[in-house]
Amino acid sequence: MTKLVSLPCGASQEALDWFATSALFEDAAAFILRHVTDDQAKRAVTAGVASGYVFVGSLPEPDQTNVLTALRDSFAHHVDAEIYPPRVTARMDDPEIFVTRAKSLGHLAAESLASRGPDRSPT
């Protein structure tokens, strides 16, 4: 089953959507949850994960910015170290397809942050 992580895209009210299989989604959702500090937002994300989605744009600040920044700056390393470490990719056929797909969430987060403009981008 395909699951969704939706990132905000500036003032256009459109979203940047990242779809993943259940296992990859669960790993990404756990990473996102580690960067949410607001208790009510944590409960909302947890409920969304159970239904197969995470809407980062619905997070309050500063959690929204913290999640997007962590995805942009740290998710690729998380993919290499935790989701698809060398001991796992060594046994896979065409691992670059899976690794690139996973890391694309970080690229979407960078696009999301860039779309905010200078007044809302993290420093």
Side-chain angles (χ1 to χ4, degrees):
M1 176 181 212
T2 301
K3 303 202 177 192
L4 168 69
V5 175
S6 184
L7 307 178
C9 187
S12 70
Q13 300 301 322
E14 293 183 24
L16 299 168
D17 292 337
W18 182 81
F19 297 93
T21 60
S22 293
L24 181 54
F25 171 81
E26 294 293 331
D27 285 329
F31 180 90
I32 289 167
L33 252 170
R34 284 195 299 274
H35 295 89
V36 176
T37 58
D38 181 86
D39 288 336
Q40 185 174 351
K42 279 185 181 190
R43 287 190 296 276
V45 170
T46 301
V49 169
S51 297
Y53 61 84
V54 174
F55 292 113
V56 175
S58 67
L59 293 173
E61 289 297 349
D63 285 337
Q64 186 179 134
T65 297
N66 291 343
V67 165
L68 291 170
T69 302
L71 287 169
R72 180 193 65 192
D73 296 347
S74 304
F75 193 66
H77 174 72
H78 178 74
V79 169
D80 290 335
E82 301 295 328
I83 300 174
Y84 293 120
R87 70 181 182 282
V88 171
T89 57
R91 298 184 310 242
M92 296 172 69
D93 292 329
D94 302 317
E96 62 278 352
I97 293 169
F98 299 96
V99 172
T100 300
R101 179 76 194 121
K103 289 181 179 180
S104 67
L105 180 56
H107 299 295
L108 283 177
E111 188 177 333
S112 176
L113 285 165
S115 74
R116 298 169 136 203
D119 58 326
R120 289 201 55 212
S121 292
T123 55

